[in-house]
Amino acid sequence: MEQEELLRILRSINSPRHLQIHAQLLARGLASSPRLLQALVFAALSVSAAPSYSPRRHAAAAAAATVAHNTLIDRLAGRSGRGCFPEAAFGAYGAMRDAGVGPNGFTFTFLLRACEALRRLPPCGCVHGQIVRCGFGSDVVVQNALLNVYYKCGDPGDPWAARKVFDGMPKKDVVSWNSMLGVYMASNNAVAGIELFEVMPEGNVVSWNTVVAGFTRIGATMAARFVFDRIPIKDDFSWNLMISGYATNGYVEAARSLFDKMDCKDVVSWTTMVSAYAKIGDIESAKVLFDQMPVKNLVSWNAMIAAYNHKSRYGEAVRTFQQMMIEGGFMPDEATLVSVASACTQLRSSEYCSWLSSYISKSNTHTTVALGNALIDMFAKCGQVGRARSIFRKMKTRSNITWTTMISGFAYNGRFREALLIYKEMCGQGVEPDDAVFIAALVACARGGLLRRGRRIFKQMVEHYGIVPRMEHYRCMVDLFGRTGKLQEAVRFIEKMPLKPGAVIWVTLLSSCIAHGDAELTEYVSAKIVEIEPFNPGFQVLVSNCSALKERWGSVMDAH
């Protein structure tokens, strides 16, 4: 039904029965516009206020008005951070009470969701007061929601606000006990959790699984296994929890042993084991299991692609993606495309880059920030910095990683001044750069021999943005001084560093000393490297080569 038609119907309603029908219709998700919701609320108020209705019809109108207001509050409270306007939801509740419309349990569960979005305790206390005042203090569903919100909005890891609600509940069901148990386990308070678990009047498989999950989260796999073995009736989730717990904590063989004992393995079980083998670098075992899977889903394919990337087998990662598209028939998600873009980046293949870009364009895939960052890096590393910049310009939302990747992309392709223009643009837009952005900018300065710009950017980082330089920032500055022939200044810079310089800093300078033919400083820097890392074979070879080079320099000087 068209929006304008729905508006016409709502504006013509003069019967509570009609109102109730349309309110239910809209409440089931057909209201896609605030205009419809507003019209619904006005219709509810107009018919519920009419004096000529019988008590029964008044009740019907009042119920419809509650549904209308709840629909508006629900929509404003939003879900998962999308389309969420919590303050407006509280305002809508205030308007509901001012209009004399009574709330129900749903009203408060929606308001508690708005509290969760704010992540602050005071609004929880206000809603809690309304719950008690309106007679819902004994509603177990509302109380369960209240318990969870107090935990999520309280101090991280502090379960006591939730426990206070739990202890004050006049009625508790198994969901109440499981919720409190989950709070303890999520806050890593396993002792209190297991104490509560042991006194539960009635548990279910969710209770057992919550304890297993809590123990595996803190790495207590032996305790988790002890509880797992006690579960009277295990479901697939129980098995997968324990297998995943072993795998996550590095006990892959224990995970495999339990996996082999499962009577009915599902796609989650198989994928967990594929990921477990991939994590320890055993690609062959991961591939064997992957090929044996009776049913694969997108997560399974993603796990195998990521496994190949993890072992630097990038060609196989791309071919697995192609196989997924042909055999699996799955639409790739962000994780898939980011992994494939990463593989193409490492392969430095323009052909693969163009193929992946063409697929994304033809499939109208939404370019998220993570995917955009991966594509910028891919094109830049494959020498197509113009295409990288095109993606950068099209991105409506950028993170610090986006800016860093674009700056690094220009620098990688020798376009150092353009790299610094991106940095300047970032600062000009009021985006606060992080320490990684400055590393990228300083690398561009060093490789481009832009000494004055590098000094200015380093000073800006420290004095304007208050970022404490890391060793990598100092190394970039030493590289900058060295490449521009300021060798003595580089030595003074190193000796004044607040951090103790490591061998890598001196090795960075050593390459510049050799490039500029400064034999005396080469000897001094070589001695510093040996002093710091006397037993590093790589540095020993480097210093030895420098000594041989010094002898050749001496021969040249004698010849003259």
Side-chain angles (χ1 to χ4, degrees):
M1 192 177 294
E2 294 294 332
Q3 178 175 307
E4 293 302 323
E5 178 67 11
L6 281 170
L7 282 170
R8 187 189 64 75
I9 292 172
L10 285 169
R11 287 166 181 162
S12 65
I13 284 175
N14 55 18
S15 160
R17 178 175 175 77
H18 290 161
L19 172 65
Q20 203 165 18
I21 291 170
H22 292 300
Q24 292 292 342
L25 179 72
L26 292 170
R28 283 180 169 80
L30 296 183
S32 58
S33 164
R35 292 176 67 201
L36 293 178
L37 292 168
Q38 187 179 43
L40 178 60
V41 172
F42 287 153
L45 294 175
S46 64
V47 297
S48 60
S52 59
Y53 295 136
S54 67
R56 183 175 177 181
R57 299 183 74 184
H58 268 303
T66 299
V67 169
H69 282 280
N70 280 354
T71 301
L72 183 58
I73 295 168
D74 179 27
R75 187 62 57 86
L76 292 170
R79 294 180 187 277
S80 304
R82 299 180 64 183
C84 185
F85 306 97
E87 299 287 1
F90 297 136
Y93 174 71
M96 178 183 190
R97 298 313 310 275
D98 289 344
V101 178
N104 59 18
F106 289 111
T107 313
F108 294 113
T109 57
F110 300 152
L111 288 173
L112 289 171
R113 195 189 323 132
C115 290
E116 186 179 338
L118 291 172
R119 296 281 173 175
R120 298 200 312 267
L121 276 177
C124 300
C126 293
V127 175
H128 191 173
Q130 287 291 308
I131 289 170
V132 174
R133 203 167 290 122
C134 295
F136 289 89
S138 300
D139 188 314
V140 70
V141 174
V142 173
Q143 291 296 308
N144 289 342
L146 187 64
L147 184 158
N148 282 300
V149 167
Y150 265 117
Y151 174 67
K152 290 175 181 176
C153 296
D155 294 333
D158 184 359
W160 301 116
R163 181 61 195 249
K164 190 174 180 181
V165 174
F166 178 79
D167 289 340
M169 291 175 67
K171 297 178 183 177
K172 300 181 183 76
D173 60 9
V174 69
V175 175
S176 315
W177 287 89
N178 285 344
S179 296
M180 193 64 232
L181 183 60
V183 164
Y184 277 131
M185 290 303 182
S187 58
N188 295 334
N189 195 335
V191 173
I194 201 69
E195 286 176 355
L196 185 75
F197 175 71
E198 295 296 350
V199 298
M200 282 182 70
E202 179 188 1
N204 57 17
V205 70
V206 175
S207 318
W208 291 94
N209 289 345
T210 301
V211 176
V212 172
F215 279 130
T216 58
R217 187 183 301 111
I218 62 174
T221 50
M222 289 183 64
R225 181 59 188 266
F226 175 73
V227 175
F228 172 81
D229 289 339
R230 288 174 57 199
I231 300 177
I233 301 176
K234 302 176 180 66
D235 61 8
D236 290 345
F237 192 64
S238 312
W239 287 89
N240 291 335
L241 265 179
M242 196 64 239
I243 292 169
S244 177
Y246 274 136
T248 301
N249 289 286
Y251 302 109
V252 177
E253 291 308 312
R256 180 60 188 267
S257 175
L258 200 61
F259 172 80
D260 289 339
K261 291 177 182 176
M262 274 189 82
D263 292 328
C264 299
K265 302 174 181 67
D266 61 12
V267 68
V268 176
S269 322
W270 287 92
T271 303
T272 300
M273 283 310 308
V274 169
S275 298
Y277 279 122
K279 187 177 178 181
I280 63 171
D282 188 352
I283 297 298
E284 283 65 36
S285 296
K287 184 66 165 67
V288 167
L289 279 180
F290 182 77
D291 289 340
Q292 291 176 353
M293 289 181 70
V295 177
K296 298 180 180 73
N297 62 12
L298 183 58
V299 178
S300 317
W301 288 96
N302 285 351
M304 200 63 234
I305 294 168
Y308 281 128
N309 271 353
H310 184 65
K311 287 296 286 184
S312 303
R313 290 162 64 167
Y314 305 112
E316 288 167 280
V318 174
R319 285 191 290 275
T320 301
F321 171 66
Q322 293 170 327
Q323 182 186 355
M324 180 191 92
M325 300 299 292
I326 295 168
E327 296 180 10
F330 295 106
M331 285 294 293
D333 62 5
E334 179 189 67
T336 321
L337 296 172
V338 168
S339 287
V340 176
S342 176
C344 293
T345 302
Q346 298 301 324
L347 291 169
R348 304 290 196 272
S349 167
S350 295
E351 181 183 351
Y352 276 140
C353 290
S354 297
W355 165 75
L356 180 62
S357 177
S358 176
Y359 169 78
I360 291 172
S361 177
K362 289 178 180 177
S363 61
N364 293 319
T365 300
H366 171 62
T367 303
T368 62
V369 173
L371 179 56
N373 295 345
L375 292 174
I376 291 169
D377 191 45
M378 178 186 77
F379 280 122
K381 294 286 176 58
C382 293
Q384 301 181 45
V385 70
R387 296 185 73 176
R389 178 168 52 188
S390 176
I391 292 170
F392 175 80
R393 292 297 176 206
K394 289 177 182 177
M395 289 177 67
K396 295 179 180 178
T397 304
R398 299 169 184 153
S399 66
N400 269 343
I401 295 173
T402 313
W403 293 94
T404 303
T405 305
M406 195 66 249
I407 294 167
S408 298
F410 274 124
Y412 182 85
N413 287 275
R415 295 163 68 166
F416 309 113
R417 294 187 184 278
E418 288 173 276
L420 296 181
L421 285 174
I422 294 292
Y423 165 75
K424 184 178 180 180
E425 180 186 343
M426 179 182 186
C427 297
Q429 290 187 10
V431 180
E432 189 157 324
D434 59 14
D435 59 350
V437 171
F438 283 105
I439 290 173
L442 291 172
V443 165
C445 292
R447 292 181 181 174
L450 306 171
L451 180 60
R452 290 177 60 189
R453 294 290 299 277
R455 281 175 169 157
R456 190 160 63 245
I457 288 172
F458 187 84
K459 183 179 180 181
Q460 185 182 29
M461 176 184 77
V462 176
E463 295 182 1
H464 182 74
Y465 290 104
I467 293 175
V468 178
R470 293 191 284 115
M471 191 64 76
E472 187 63 19
H473 298 103
Y474 289 117
R475 193 194 70 77
C476 289
M477 289 303 295
V478 170
D479 191 30
L480 173 59
F481 289 131
R483 286 175 185 257
T484 54
K486 305 291 183 180
L487 303 179
Q488 292 296 335
E489 188 172 351
V491 172
R492 289 193 295 272
F493 182 83
I494 293 172
E495 290 174 345
K496 289 181 180 179
M497 281 170 49
L499 302 176
K500 185 177 179 180
V504 174
I505 288 282
W506 291 106
V507 168
T508 301
L509 180 56
L510 182 62
S511 61
S512 294
C513 294
I514 296 169
H516 290 282
D518 191 326
E520 184 179 347
L521 197 54
T522 297
E523 184 177 1
Y524 173 77
V525 173
S526 296
K528 286 287 187 182
I529 294 169
V530 172
E531 180 185 327
I532 297 170
E533 293 276 3
F535 304 112
N536 188 307
F539 292 152
Q540 286 176 357
V541 171
L542 182 63
V543 170
S544 176
N545 290 340
C546 289
S547 298
L549 185 59
K550 181 188 173 188
E551 290 176 10
R552 291 199 293 275
W553 285 337
S555 300
V556 172
M557 294 301 289
D558 292 340
H560 286 278

